[in-house]
Amino acid sequence: MEKAIAWDAGAGAVRLLDQTLLPGRVETLLVRTTGELVDGIRRLAVRGAPALGVAGAFGVVIALDEALRHGWSEAERDGAIDRVRAARPTAVNLAWGVDRVRPFIGQGRDAVLAAALDLAAADEAANRRLSALGADWLLARVDRSRLRLLTHCNAGALATAGWGTALGVVRELQERGRLDFVYADETRPLLQGARLTAYELAAEGIPHAVQVDGAAAGTILGGLVDAAVVGADRIAANGDVANKGRHARGPSRAPRRAFPSSWRRPGRRWISPRRTDRPS
């Protein structure tokens, strides 16, 4: 499967897999201007916190190239970078990616590109390490040879520089031969689960089903899955998490039934040290 975002050295551009068209059409965008990148971010052609961080970093390189082509002043160049940084105000990683490579501008365009490429490589490496740890954690807590999992939204390769976070754990289990089946919540209103997660699972040959969001609690309480693996949009001080407005502990409150849950948060990726089997 093509990466969600990558630097095309031959074209001197950012290559984006247009996620607004998936799964019906697979098309890539070659982004050579900051205006095109801002548009792609706002349309959700590229989305997912880690991928947006990489987009921000590459956006600085694009702004430098654009400034050279058009003879921009320093103020014009900085304005273009700021527009990339602010393209999606709720995306913390987007601003973070810009800020990580911006200090290298004084060392030249190649130094900025090298920093952006390092950032992308580090994200993928972190995803793979996280996925191995997550798989180990689940296998230590679920007494089954092959796991049945539930996931919500899309925290896979499409949301990152490569491999995926929550869905990366699913891929890791598949590679180990320890995965049975995956239930993917549709994730209204943009259907990231039905469109994107299902697309990734199909590409990996992973048996799966897409279910309406309201079916998640029944799937868990009915004993159809052994664990839930999701991204974490928000984490409360007591460890409760929410993803797309859905409270992660709520559907897992099966009386006298332990239900392991693990989650991933961009920037601070970690695994729950406890099981959600206490009464509440």
Side-chain angles (χ1 to χ4, degrees):
M1 187 177 71
E2 186 165 352
K3 287 190 173 185
I5 182 168
W7 181 258
D8 189 321
V14 177
R15 183 179 293 274
L16 300 179
L17 179 60
D18 191 344
Q19 298 185 39
T20 65
L21 303 178
L22 294 174
R25 290 159 52 194
V26 179
E27 294 186 11
T28 57
L29 305 172
L30 276 181
V31 176
R32 295 184 174 87
T33 70
T34 51
E36 291 171 345
L37 183 59
V38 168
D39 177 67
I41 292 169
R42 290 177 175 169
R43 290 192 303 105
L44 302 182
V46 59
R47 32 72 54 195
L52 287 172
V54 176
F58 285 149
V60 178
V61 181
I62 291 175
L64 294 176
D65 289 346
E66 208 173 357
L68 181 62
R69 288 198 304 270
H70 299 295
W72 284 352
S73 66
E74 184 175 318
E76 289 172 317
R77 179 203 69 197
D78 289 347
I81 294 172
D82 289 339
R83 286 190 290 277
V84 171
R85 190 180 188 278
R88 192 172 170 190
T90 58
V92 175
N93 283 53
L94 175 60
W96 171 83
V98 170
D99 295 343
R100 281 291 300 271
V101 304
R102 200 169 194 168
F104 293 94
I105 289 177
Q107 300 178 34
R109 182 260 193 194
D110 289 346
V112 176
L113 177 58
L117 292 171
D118 285 346
L119 186 151
D123 178 70
E124 182 169 355
N127 290 345
R128 290 180 180 272
R129 177 60 177 156
L130 173 153
S131 298
L133 292 172
D136 290 342
W137 189 89
L138 286 172
L139 291 171
R141 286 161 175 79
V142 179
D143 187 21
R144 284 180 62 91
S145 61
R146 293 162 64 87
L147 273 59
R148 304 162 303 167
L149 301 177
L150 179 145
T151 191
H152 189 78
C153 195
N154 174 260
L158 292 173
T160 70
W163 189 253
T165 53
L167 207 59
V169 176
V170 175
R171 296 178 69 183
E172 176 72 19
L173 290 167
Q174 172 76 353
E175 287 199 347
R176 298 186 191 185
R178 300 298 301 274
L179 184 66
D180 183 5
F181 197 83
V182 177
Y183 288 88
D185 293 345
E186 60 180 346
T187 319
R188 300 178 187 181
L190 297 180
L191 302 178
Q192 295 99 320
R195 295 189 305 107
L196 306 180
T197 294
Y199 172 79
E200 290 199 47
L201 293 172
E204 294 291 328
I206 295 175
H208 66 281
V210 174
Q211 65 181 5
V212 297
D213 293 339
T219 298
I220 293 171
L221 296 175
L224 298 179
V225 293
D226 305 301
V229 186
V230 298
D233 291 333
R234 294 292 184 271
I235 303 176
N238 67 348
D240 292 357
V241 302
N243 181 287
K244 296 295 175 291
R246 297 183 62 84
H247 197 273
R249 272 182 59 200
S252 65
R253 291 174 176 169
R256 295 175 298 279
R257 178 172 178 268
F259 188 79
S261 300
S262 66
W263 51 86
R264 310 291 178 271
R265 178 173 184 253
R268 293 180 179 85
R269 301 185 178 111
W270 49 279
I271 303 170
S272 167
R274 54 189 170 79
R275 296 166 73 158
T276 56
D277 57 354
R278 64 200 184 287
S280 55

